[in-house]
Amino acid sequence: MASHIGKLPVAIPAGVEVTIDGQNFSAKGPKGSDSYVIPQCISAAVEGNEIVLTPADDTRPTRAMHGLSRSIIAGMVKGVHEGYAKTLEIIGTGYRAAMKGKGIEFSLGYSHTITVEPPEGIEFELPNPNQVIVKGTDKQAVGQVAANIRKLRAPEPYKGKGIKYADERILRKAGKAGK
């Protein structure tokens, strides 16, 4: 029994350069470059324009690492080729965002504004004052930065005010029942 995800080969799109040196994997593409150290129990090889990962044995931890390594490598290849983006929406009267240098300054109903600076490899885009797009090549980093921004003012269930993901649905609660 082997990992179903690990068995799938990773297609290398045009414009992406892949290097495997022992256990070190690196991908370079139009959006940037990234690298990953493949676990010792997994071996990787480039066959044609695909990356194939092979487990050393059939133990449970090796099978788990097989699927994980394949997912990480597939994510890296997609990241350096297309990149990742998460869209956040700001909902609420007076809640807005404005670019301040490379960072974003949020007005979220607190007595002060909050400035968020992008970490290395992440960039922000503001199509309008109520929408923030977090972009980057690293899927995990994009998701973490978006989660940190959402945490500044998480959406509340009564009026739905706060920062939410564009595809997120807020479960609404009924307010006080009047007589």
Side-chain angles (χ1 to χ4, degrees), residues 57-70:
D57 52 50
D58 200 34
T59 61
R60 189 180 183 101
T62 303
R63 288 196 311 260
M65 286 304 220
H66 188 209
L68 174 72
S69 299
R70 190 260 177 217

Side-chain angles (χ1 to χ4, degrees), residues 1-20:
M1 206 166 149
S3 168
H4 291 287
I5 293 171
K7 281 190 220 174
L8 301 171
V10 179
I12 303 170
V16 175
E17 196 178 300
V18 170
T19 311
I20 299 172

Side-chain angles (χ1 to χ4, degrees), residues 21-121:
D21 181 30
Q23 297 304 105
N24 297 322
F25 172 84
S26 62
K28 200 177 199 177
K31 297 279 184 183
S33 62
D34 210 348
S35 62
Y36 173 65
V37 178
I38 301 167
Q40 291 296 321
C41 55
I42 308 294
S43 61
V46 177
E47 294 177 5
N49 61 343
E50 292 181 329
I51 304 163
V52 178
L53 279 84
T54 315
D57 52 50
D58 200 34
T59 61
R60 189 180 183 101
T62 303
R63 288 196 311 260
M65 286 304 220
H66 188 209
L68 174 72
S69 299
R70 190 260 177 217
S71 292
I72 290 172
I73 288 172
M76 285 174 55
V77 169
K78 183 182 177 205
V80 297
H81 185 248
E82 301 168 15
Y84 287 98
K86 281 227 181 244
T87 305
L88 297 152
E89 294 174 351
I90 303 168
I91 299 165
T93 309
Y95 290 12
R96 65 181 154 273
M99 289 299 283
K100 190 172 186 184
K102 287 189 177 205
I104 298 178
E105 188 173 72
F106 290 95
S107 300
L108 299 171
Y110 297 118
S111 61
H112 58 282
T113 59
I114 301 166
T115 305
V116 176
E117 292 295 328
E120 190 70 34

